[in-house]
Amino acid sequence: MFDLIPFGRHREDALSQWMKSFNDAFNDDFFMPLKSQAMSFRTDIRETENAYLVEAELPGFQKNEIEIDYVSPYLTIKAVRKEDNNVEDSKQQIVRKERRYGEYVRRFYVQDIDEEGIRASLKDGVLKLEVPKRGQTKSKRIQIED
């Protein structure tokens, strides 16, 4: 609908018209079911001497929509956005829908962490996790006795 050309304008050549039709057939919306299962989000991970610091971009999510699980050795962050189907005015029709709905999941392999000490906060669409490392066991050289 937004690609309509008023009468009297120059028409595109046949190749351009064909390319436009080809591009329209492979619009992002066509692949939405495949994308929704593999949606992810961006993260930054830093390491300090005592902990891993994770920052994940989750704009628009509330804290009750985010789950954080640790099942050794995987730390999983999952955010679920459900589609809002409420239409207040029956005359409104959706022309194009670009908002994404579904599960957003990231899974990280981490070992030797203190799972009881993991802390999380959410502010301005950024989830911050502090994942403390388990106390390092010091190596000890063992002498062979006679």
Side-chain angles (χ1 to χ4, degrees), residues 15-75:
L15 181 60
S16 296
Q17 193 72 331
W18 179 81
M19 287 300 292
K20 182 184 173 314
S21 297
F22 182 80
N23 288 334
D24 288 348
F26 291 99
N27 194 340
D28 284 348
D29 297 338
F30 178 79
F31 292 106
M32 181 55 126
L34 299 174
K35 285 183 178 181
S36 65
Q37 294 176 4
M39 286 191 293
S40 186
F41 48 88
R42 297 179 192 269
T43 58
D44 294 334
I45 302 172
R46 295 186 315 248
E47 182 178 7
T48 66
E49 188 176 321
N50 300 321
Y52 297 102
L53 305 173
V54 179
E55 291 184 356
E57 290 182 351
L58 293 168
F61 282 96
Q62 304 299 317
K63 65 181 183 179
N64 63 340
E65 297 173 317
I66 301 170
E67 296 177 15
I68 304 163
D69 293 313
Y70 180 72
V71 178
S72 186
Y74 292 102
L75 176 69

Side-chain angles (χ1 to χ4, degrees), residues 49-51 111-115 132-138:
E49 188 176 321
N50 300 321
Q111 287 184 312
D112 298 325
I113 64 169
D114 176 16
E115 57 266 9
K133 296 178 182 178
R134 197 174 291 155
Q136 297 290 335
T137 57
K138 295 183 179 181

